[in-house]
Amino acid sequence: MSLLDVRGLNKSYQTDAKVLKDIHFTAETGEFLSIIGPSGAGKSTLLRCLNRLVEADDGEVIFDGQDLRQLKKKQLREARTNIGMVFQHYNLVPRLTVIENVLHGRFGYKSTFQGVLARFSEEEKERAFYLLEKLGIEAHAYKRCDQLSGGQQQRVGICRALIQDPKLILCDEPIASLDPHSSKIIMDYLKSISEEMGITCIVNLHQVEVAQSYSDRIIGLNDGSIVFDGSNLQLDQIY
Ligand code: ADP
Ligand code: ADP
């Protein structure tokens, strides 16, 4: 059984135009899957329908054996602890420190606030530090995250997504706002967690070359439909 099995997903926003049209695909444990396509293709909507930040109109999102679309709020919250998310614009809380932002990933946005590091256990803080070290930003742990560069902020975003030991992480254009050096650090790290920790990574990208050099598999999305689903080599034959 695949870790993720998406079946017949459709989505329209207020207007009639369908942004997603009958989307079917699967993702396996530890797989590095890129979704490519031009701006407006529906990549961001698709990713957000997977963890229900956006509600699809119909279809199934079977993750780890259960259809997330059928879950009630409480069960969904529980299931989402296994799904981390990384955003193009990081979506950190600017007035909080780096480590507080990382720990947020564990307790949600409402349950922590400034200066309340004390409410986290030593073990939780150690886990946050471990991740910050892995990404080479532990020296910034007590800085406000708005003092960090974009590349550093995205590394914080990745630590936040990983703090709960997810099985899947969804990355929506994680390098679109970054310089090449920072982009490489981020992509190398995402690749390493899929290979070494068996975390499935689904990454929206608009650069085909980046998708090709990192992915096990690539899905091409255009105007809300999947127009390609295959390996790098197969993609080579098209472009
Ligand atoms: P991509 O990530 O590939 O650029 P998006 O999923 O962001 O594509 O957008 C797909 C289409 O849906 C676009 O036409 C966009 O304008 C539209 N769209 C995205 N989010 C919303 C929204 N919240 N309300 C209305 N239309 C939206
Ligand atoms: P990011 O790429 O930083 O995640 P976007 O700029 O794609 O953010 O979108 C920001 C928000 O605006 C998202 O919640 C998205 O759903 C919404 N959005 C995107 N396109 C439209 C649109 N055409 N109409 C309304 N809302 C939109």
Side-chain angles (χ1 to χ4, degrees), residues 48 88-89 172:
R48 285 160 200 240
Q88 175 178 353
H89 300 294
D172 192 3

Side-chain angles (χ1 to χ4, degrees), residues 41-53:
K43 303 182 297 298
S44 183
T45 301
L46 173 55
L47 221 59
R48 285 160 200 240
C49 284
L50 300 182
N51 64 359
R52 291 180 56 192
L53 277 184

Side-chain angles (χ1 to χ4, degrees), residues 43-102:
K43 303 182 297 298
S44 183
T45 301
L46 173 55
L47 221 59
R48 285 160 200 240
C49 284
L50 300 182
N51 64 359
R52 291 180 56 192
L53 277 184
V54 167
E55 289 290 356
D57 300 330
D58 49 47
E60 295 166 35
V61 178
I62 299 163
F63 172 73
D64 214 8
Q66 57 182 354
D67 184 359
L68 298 182
R69 301 228 323 116
Q70 300 298 328
L71 300 183
K72 302 263 184 291
K73 259 191 175 161
K74 186 163 173 267
Q75 302 164 298
L76 178 64
R77 207 178 305 131
E78 182 67 31
R80 276 180 176 158
T81 64
N82 281 308
I83 307 177
M85 187 141 189
V86 174
F87 300 88
Q88 175 178 353
H89 300 294
Y90 329 123
N91 291 20
L92 303 174
V93 184
R95 65 188 163 77
L96 296 187
T97 62
V98 164
I99 190 160
E100 286 166 335
N101 267 282
V102 174

Side-chain angles (χ1 to χ4, degrees), residues 13-15 19 37-46 172-173 204 221:
Y13 290 101
Q14 292 84 345
T15 53
V19 173
S39 183
K43 303 182 297 298
S44 183
T45 301
L46 173 55
D172 192 3
E173 298 279 2
N204 281 354
L221 201 62

Side-chain angles (χ1 to χ4, degrees), residues 178-220:
L178 303 180
D179 60 85
H181 175 70
S182 295
S183 297
K184 185 173 185 317
I185 292 174
I186 299 291
M187 292 303 295
D188 286 348
Y189 189 72
L190 292 174
K191 184 72 183 171
S192 77
I193 62 172
S194 75
E195 284 179 344
E196 292 160 27
M197 296 159 73
I199 297 175
T200 305
C201 296
I202 303 183
V203 185
N204 281 354
L205 291 167
H206 61 257
Q207 312 92 317
V208 178
E209 335 70 67
V210 178
Q212 285 192 296
S213 55
Y214 286 93
S215 311
D216 299 315
R217 214 172 100 224
I218 297 175
I219 286 178

